[in-house]
Amino acid sequence: MLILECPYCGVEAEETELHADGEAHLKRFGPGSSDDDFEGYMFRRENPKGVHFERWRHVNGCGKYFHAARCTATLEVFGTYSAQTLEPPKDLQDKISAKRPGWTWRDLKGEG
């Protein structure tokens, strides 16, 4: 079972108290976007074996959304952070790199 710490209220919660909401750091497209942009947003997702960044909601607590970095193969949680970020914090990326030498994070800037 996953245990994640909500970065807002500081509660360590089991995954049953949270709601997984898919991949983090997606660029969302609104009215007037191209069909290709909207199709990319709706259907293109990462599904790695290894480090993954996910969006979660603390439904049985403060109710806020946050992001979590974890390994999909081992369920190791590297950390959680505010959902109001465009990319994982540098200190979290450094922490993951120290544990997983050679790991790289894809460049999400400009992708849909």
Side-chain angles (χ1 to χ4, degrees):
M1 176 168 292
L2 288 175
I3 297 178
L4 301 172
E5 181 178 343
C6 176
Y8 299 104
C9 63
V11 171
E12 287 191 358
E14 295 178 356
E15 64 187 288
T16 56
E17 298 177 43
L18 307 166
H19 174 72
D21 201 31
E23 185 177 349
H25 305 293
L26 294 176
K27 182 176 180 182
R28 288 161 174 80
F29 292 92
S33 62
S34 72
D35 288 344
D36 287 340
D37 286 342
F38 189 70
E39 183 260 339
Y41 165 68
M42 287 297 293
F43 301 110
R44 291 188 202 129
R45 297 288 188 266
E46 291 285 312
N47 189 18
K49 180 179 180 182
V51 178
H52 190 50
F53 295 91
E54 302 168 325
R55 181 174 166 96
W56 288 81
R57 183 169 179 242
H58 193 184
V59 290
N60 291 340
C62 66
K64 294 184 178 182
Y65 283 94
F66 64 92
H67 291 165
R70 71 177 185 95
C71 178
T72 59
T74 65
L75 300 183
E76 177 182 7
V77 176
F78 298 105
T80 59
Y81 54 99
S82 168
Q84 285 72 38
T85 59
L86 299 177
E87 63 183 56
K90 176 82 167 100
D91 61 329
L92 183 58
Q93 291 185 50
D94 292 343
K95 179 181 177 181
I96 295 168
S97 294
K99 290 186 173 189
R100 303 279 197 287
W103 170 84
T104 58
W105 181 63
R106 68 183 179 121
D107 179 16
L108 293 175
K109 295 174 190 165
E111 287 190 10

